[in-house]
Amino acid sequence: MTSASSLGGVAQAGAGPDNGPAHEFFVPAPHEPAGSAPAPAFGPVILEAEGLVRRFFGVTVLDGVSLSLAAGEVRALLGENGAGKSTMINLLSGVHQPDGGQLRLDGSPVRFARPLDADHAGISVIRQELSLFPDLSVAEAIFAGHLPLNRFGLVDWPRMRRAASAALSQLAPDIDINAPVASLSIARQQMVEIARALTRKARVVIMDEPTASLSPNEVAHLGRIIADLSREGVAVLYVSHRLDEIRAFCQTYTVLRDGKAVAGGRVADTDIPALIRAMAGREIAAAQKAPPAPVADQGTGEPLLQIRHLASPQGLRGGQRVKDVSFALRQGEILGLAGIVGAGRTETARMIFGLDPVGQGEIRLFGQPVRFASPAAAIAAGIGYVPEDRKGLSLLPGRSVHENFALTGAVPARFGRNDRRAEARLLAGFWQKLGIRAASPGAAITTLSGGNQQKVILARWIALKPKLLIIDEPTRGIDVGAKEDVHALIREIAASGVAVLLISSDLPEVMSLSHRIITLREGVTSSDQPAAGITAEALMTHMTRHA
Amino acid sequence: MSATTPPDRARLFALLGRLAPLIFLLALVIIFASLQPRFLMPLNLFNILRQVSIYGIIAVGMTFVILIRGIDLSVGALVAMSGLCAAVIARGGIEGRLVLSADGSGFSWQLAALAAILAGSAAGLLQGMAVAWLSVPAFVVTLGGMTVFRGLALSIGNGGPISGFDEAFGWWGRGMIGPVPVPVLIFAAVAAIAWVVLTQTRFGRAVYAVGSNPEAARLSGINVSGVTIAVYGLIGFCSGLGGFVLASRLNSAEAVAGTGYELTAIAAVVIGGTSLQGGTGGVGGTVIGALLTGVLLNGLVILNVSPYTQQVLVGLIIVAAVAFDHFIKRQSR
């Protein structure tokens, strides 16, 4: 494996006719034909990244990634959550600038100081969260930023409408160019974005998880559009978790893991299990080191929480994230909930907690069917929820650690007054136990590190003594030391009899903490099994592939 | 060795930010006192306090509203409307149009005060419901409320004033306890109660939480709509009380009373350091903000600055105070 590790930072591992098992991820890149492998006829390389490095706050997110896109090439960019895909897209499109390495356009070094520079260079990004202007008409959205003008310097509406119709004619001729963008389905909004790219004469189109909310028919249509783009000499970078689509749409691929390109080559030369292994490599290594999952010693009697065929309401534009989720959770049990972004994990938690309305299905708490109209009702029933979005949904910026801790009202007021002394005592207990590092309980919460903020948030909920605690991405963006503290805390509260629903994209975390693990795929429970003996590969397979 | 390591520097600026309105107030007092010694005479000082007290009461309510990221533009109109309600009760009807008591005499000040406060609170609660349940921006709801309540006030008084109340009614606006005017004591009491509510109770915490991060508040089990409605009810209460005291002081209620109070109250809150983004600030700052506005106006009058120029100066100082506040907050981050 020495050669593999020395090649670890590079996707195109140079030429070398080597298909030996140790190098199965490192087949030659197709536009650098080598050996006997017949290369598809790509045009010249348009955009090339070499050894891109990007750090955020001292953390290396992208560590020497190389990748190239030739005219007519459709390259898949794969990797699990947090592997660096988004950062890669942001570097290629000028949102961020690399801290090291080089971008080359048509062979000459280039620097995109801002997104507009990349746009001028013919690089278009179709983002997962569509960036269109919801209130503009389709025609305006296609031309926003470069509206055609007449000789008086005013918008040339007839010309714009004609051009918009022409651009959409191949993609989706039935879209009304005068309709507001917000009235279109996600799939159609994507078509509008693609039309925008076409009118910009884009030479490189980057698609970020384009099929996350599309129906199978819409996915097939998108596949045809991508093939058309490729035929016309556009280079496409297709970012996705969905391996079936990658096999169908893409000719080449690059796998990122922990900010490095760990595999790459021709899609035809690999298979899905190999791709999963490449993406999950870290999981396998880490899970082997992780302590064995605790034995489910509780797990008796009536389940505390039972979910049957839970589904979110049918969205107006086909946006139903949760389709059919079922599981049971017992007292003292940690149930891991794994899935890729968009699989419906957080949405499931929000429905249980009364934050979002339930479409269909049943939630039973202690055997009783429940549907909570508000978080307050769920809290009263003994449920706690630590959300994923710490800044948006947990923190009270501008308030003290003490007030952030006391938010859930764990200590009852005395004669109508807050019992600050009792609160302070309770907080002091958590402070010591969790090793919270802050100047004082009076310090503003925003002066704490992410890990310490998370500890305060966890303390806020644990102080309520919930019977069920839902924890969404407990250790996202926090340092290693705090992560261990949080893990120990989760184990401890489960040992004390709390049922824990653990949502995490960090597979080693899920595997080392959970007693049972369920996976969601596209809003459906795709597996449910004890954690003991489970492999990361198996989980990834359940998360990404149709059985 | 430098004492101003980054956290120290941030803490210094944080402290400065909290004390800024007070420093500003003291500076103004010193400037005016040195330019015109008459400024510091007890009579003048109580005069300032008396002037401040009515919009000060309203500014205390406005503090709650701004703490939850809201705004209330209707308070001036509410002062007029509730003042007229009190006047109608105190006079036992409206001359020539409405007779409420059997013998045509007026009711007691207690009933009159109750009428003003109930009218103000009900109006506030209604606006709160529109903000919380219909999700209409507070700016729009209270902008509408501003003309609705002014219109109702005009209807009650038929455009004219209602005046002439008994001694007991008049005491609340013109009376003295020792050297201290009664409205000043009312303002002090309202501010003190509000301070206790904001800093010591569940409700106060909920107010800060809703203003700081409404989503986090809701997720933590706080009834965000309930808090919103209560807060608008509270400022309605304060406006009703202010309307009663104003009618008492002037011995008259009319539909144009309280014009511009919304801006004076908002200015006092903002100068006092409560952020329009919600979640930070408090009643202490508002009291200082109200005093500062009062001192400024009084000082300019004493210095014979033309009333036109006064307006210009007051406006500029409001903007400067808020700009300074933002500057300090940036430094202390």
Side-chain angles (χ1 to χ4, degrees):
Chain A
M1 284 307 289
T2 48
S3 59
S5 56
S6 69
L7 295 167
V10 192
Q12 276 74 52
D18 191 346
N19 290 311
H23 299 98
E24 61 184 332
F25 299 151
F26 296 99
V27 294
H31 53 273
E32 299 166 29
S36 56
F42 294 143
V45 172
I46 300 173
L47 185 66
E48 209 173 353
E50 192 185 300
L52 288 189
V53 176
R54 173 71 198 190
R55 295 182 201 91
F56 288 107
F57 308 109
V59 179
T60 303
V61 183
L62 222 49
D63 188 6
V65 175
S66 301
L67 169 155
S68 74
L69 288 163
E73 179 178 1
V74 182
R75 176 177 290 272
L77 182 62
L78 297 118
E80 63 155 67
N81 304 330
K85 299 184 306 257
S86 304
T87 307
M88 191 68 196
I89 296 171
N90 287 338
L91 293 187
L92 293 178
S93 59
V95 174
H96 294 315
Q97 287 66 46
D99 295 318
Q102 199 180 52
L103 281 177
R104 279 194 294 272
L105 186 70
D106 299 321
S108 357
V110 66
R111 187 180 148 74
F112 301 140
R114 53 204 168 125
L116 199 60
D117 294 347
D119 190 57
H120 287 320
I123 298 168
S124 280
V125 183
I126 292 160
R127 296 193 179 276
Q128 196 178 348
E129 280 140 27
L130 294 169
S131 55
L132 287 171
F133 313 92
D135 299 320
L136 293 189
S137 72
V138 168
E140 288 170 289
I142 290 174
F143 287 99
H146 43 98
L147 296 170
L149 303 180
N150 60 22
R151 62 205 152 95
F152 304 113
L154 302 174
V155 175
D156 189 344
W157 286 92
R159 184 147 69 95
M160 186 170 89
R161 293 212 177 89
R162 273 197 309 279
S165 297
L168 279 170
S169 63
Q170 296 299 310
L171 303 167
D174 52 334
I175 291 180
D176 175 7
I177 54 161
N178 297 313
V181 169
S183 70
L184 304 181
S185 70
I186 300 286
R188 278 155 174 274
Q189 292 189 23
Q190 264 170 7
M191 292 302 144
V192 174
E193 287 247 19
I194 294 171
R196 182 176 161 81
L198 292 178
T199 62
R200 297 294 287 152
K201 307 242 180 306
R203 302 171 65 210
V204 176
V205 174
I206 302 173
M207 297 186 182
D208 186 6
E209 300 277 354
T211 54
S213 37
L214 300 195
S215 71
N217 279 340
E218 291 167 336
V219 171
H221 181 63
L222 182 70
R224 286 192 293 276
I225 304 279
I226 291 172
D228 287 347
L229 287 175
S230 157
R231 252 194 306 282
E232 283 157 28
V234 175
V236 177
L237 185 64
Y238 189 86
V239 183
S240 180
H241 286 99
R242 299 197 182 182
L243 302 175
D244 298 339
E245 286 164 16
I246 281 158
R247 285 198 63 84
F249 301 165
C250 306
Q251 295 115 18
T252 57
Y253 70 95
T254 299
V255 178
L256 294 185
R257 189 208 308 152
D258 291 338
K260 294 194 168 95
V262 292
R266 276 183 8 180
V267 172
D269 296 339
T270 186
D271 55 16
I272 288 181
L275 289 176
I276 289 178
R277 272 199 302 282
M279 287 160 68
R282 181 170 66 97
E283 268 74 45
I284 295 167
Q288 282 162 352
K289 269 182 276 169
V295 184
D297 50 346
Q298 308 284 338
T300 50
E302 187 84 348
L304 187 145
L305 175 73
Q306 179 123 40
I307 304 292
R308 284 202 195 104
H309 305 300
L310 189 69
S312 39
Q314 196 71 49
L316 286 176
R317 293 175 206 109
Q320 189 192 27
R321 275 290 173 80
V322 180
K323 298 190 181 85
D324 184 1
V325 172
S326 303
F327 61 85
L329 173 54
R330 290 166 206 285
Q331 211 181 348
E333 187 179 38
I334 303 176
L335 179 69
L337 184 49
I340 61 173
V341 167
R345 296 168 300 170
T346 298
E347 291 80 1
T348 300
R350 288 177 63 93
M351 278 193 275
I352 297 170
F353 194 61
L355 272 162
D356 290 335
V358 173
Q360 279 172 3
E362 194 178 60
I363 303 171
R364 280 176 182 269
L365 197 65
F366 296 109
Q368 298 299 312
V370 289
R371 275 193 191 184
F372 298 114
S374 69
I379 291 169
I383 304 181
Y385 176 45
V386 180
E388 171 188 6
D389 179 4
R390 193 161 51 235
K391 199 171 161 210
L393 299 178
S394 285
L395 293 182
L396 301 181
R399 309 311 304 169
S400 65
V401 172
H402 182 113
E403 262 185 82
N404 270 277
F405 166 70
L407 179 66
T408 48
V411 178
R414 290 182 64 202
F415 310 111
R417 286 183 60 185
N418 300 322
D419 194 344
R420 282 192 78 92
R421 220 174 286 160
E423 285 168 357
R425 270 199 304 276
L426 192 60
L427 175 57
F430 281 107
W431 197 285
Q432 204 187 359
K433 198 164 102 186
L434 305 184
I436 294 172
R437 249 173 253 146
S440 74
I445 189 79
T446 40
T447 61
L448 274 61
S449 72
N452 283 302
Q453 290 175 355
Q454 186 71 346
K455 288 176 185 176
V456 174
I457 303 299
L458 280 163
R460 167 200 287 181
W461 288 104
I462 295 168
L464 273 180
K465 299 200 188 342
K467 300 187 178 70
L468 163 64
L469 188 58
I470 305 169
I471 311 179
D472 199 347
E473 302 288 359
T475 59
R476 169 161 295 176
I478 73 177
D479 59 277
V480 179
K483 194 166 168 174
E484 280 170 14
D485 293 343
V486 169
H487 286 173
L489 181 69
I490 293 173
R491 285 202 182 92
E492 193 185 318
I493 56 171
S496 75
V498 177
V500 176
L501 183 59
L502 172 72
I503 301 173
S504 176
S505 295
D506 186 345
L507 285 185
E509 179 168 283
V510 174
M511 292 166 69
S512 66
L513 286 177
S514 311
H515 299 103
R516 289 181 72 77
I517 299 175
I518 63 170
T519 54
L520 296 193
R521 185 173 36 71
E522 292 169 34
V524 177
T525 324
S526 54
S527 72
D528 182 348
Q529 53 202 318
I534 204 167
T535 65
E537 284 173 80
L539 282 179
M540 285 290 273
T541 306
H542 288 303
M543 284 158 61
T544 52
R545 255 189 109 188
H546 293 267
Chain B
M1 195 181 130
S2 164
T4 51
T5 53
D8 279 345
R9 196 181 119 90
R11 220 171 303 158
L12 181 75
F13 271 102
L15 187 71
L16 252 180
R18 270 201 301 281
L19 294 182
L22 191 61
I23 296 169
F24 217 51
L25 174 65
L26 291 178
L28 271 186
V29 168
I30 291 169
I31 291 169
F32 286 134
S34 58
L35 289 176
Q36 176 53 270
R38 259 196 306 134
F39 177 83
L40 275 184
M41 283 165 64
L43 188 69
N44 188 50
L45 292 183
F46 279 120
N47 219 354
I48 294 175
L49 285 174
R50 200 211 310 267
Q51 276 167 357
V52 163
S53 56
I54 291 176
Y55 67 77
I57 292 169
I58 295 158
V60 168
M62 192 69 82
T63 309
F64 285 76
V65 175
I66 291 180
L67 276 177
I68 64 163
R69 304 184 182 180
I71 196 84
D72 190 341
L73 302 176
S74 72
V75 290
L78 269 186
V79 163
M81 185 185 86
S82 45
L84 279 159
C85 288
V88 168
I89 298 298
R91 300 282 300 172
I94 305 169
E95 234 156 283
R97 286 196 291 148
L98 177 71
V99 179
L100 291 175
S101 66
D103 56 354
S105 69
F107 295 101
S108 66
W109 68 265
Q110 287 95 333
L111 279 178
L114 192 68
I117 287 168
L118 281 182
S121 305
L125 287 173
L126 280 174
Q127 295 192 105
M129 288 176 205
V131 172
W133 291 342
L134 307 180
S135 306
V136 186
F139 188 93
V140 175
V141 169
T142 59
L143 189 68
M146 183 172 160
T147 59
V148 168
F149 303 131
R150 191 70 73 184
L152 286 176
L154 283 162
S155 315
I156 295 170
N158 204 15
I162 301 180
S163 42
F165 311 117
D166 61 29
E167 198 68 5
F169 187 104
W171 184 77
W172 292 94
R174 281 167 289 157
M176 306 278 270
I177 294 181
V180 189
V182 174
V184 175
L185 294 172
I186 298 175
F187 172 39
V190 168
I193 293 169
W195 183 81
V196 170
V197 168
L198 267 184
T199 58
Q200 314 283 312
T201 68
R202 275 292 122 99
F203 177 72
R205 252 195 204 148
V207 166
Y208 280 110
V210 169
S212 174
N213 187 342
E215 275 302 302
R218 183 167 92 94
L219 211 140
S220 303
I222 289 170
N223 180 349
V224 175
S225 299
V227 170
T228 303
I229 293 168
V231 162
Y232 283 93
L234 238 159
I235 193 169
F237 174 93
C238 290
S239 306
L241 181 61
F244 168 68
V245 175
L246 185 66
S248 162
R249 188 169 115 212
L250 302 176
N251 196 27
S252 170
E254 57 181 325
V256 294
T259 306
Y261 275 24
E262 53 281 343
L263 296 183
T264 320
I266 292 168
V269 174
V270 171
I271 291 172
T274 296
S275 163
L276 283 168
Q277 271 86 46
T280 52
V283 170
T286 297
V287 170
I288 291 169
L291 290 176
L292 206 152
T293 325
V295 164
L296 188 63
L297 281 173
N298 178 279
L300 293 175
V301 170
I302 284 198
L303 293 180
N304 283 326
V305 175
S306 104
Y308 311 139
T309 315
Q310 282 177 31
Q311 293 211 9
V312 174
L313 287 175
V314 170
L316 289 177
I317 285 171
I318 290 173
V319 175
V322 176
F324 180 68
D325 195 45
H326 277 256
F327 170 75
I328 292 287
K329 288 216 172 97
R330 264 202 308 280
Q331 297 299 316
S332 62
R333 236 197 303 276

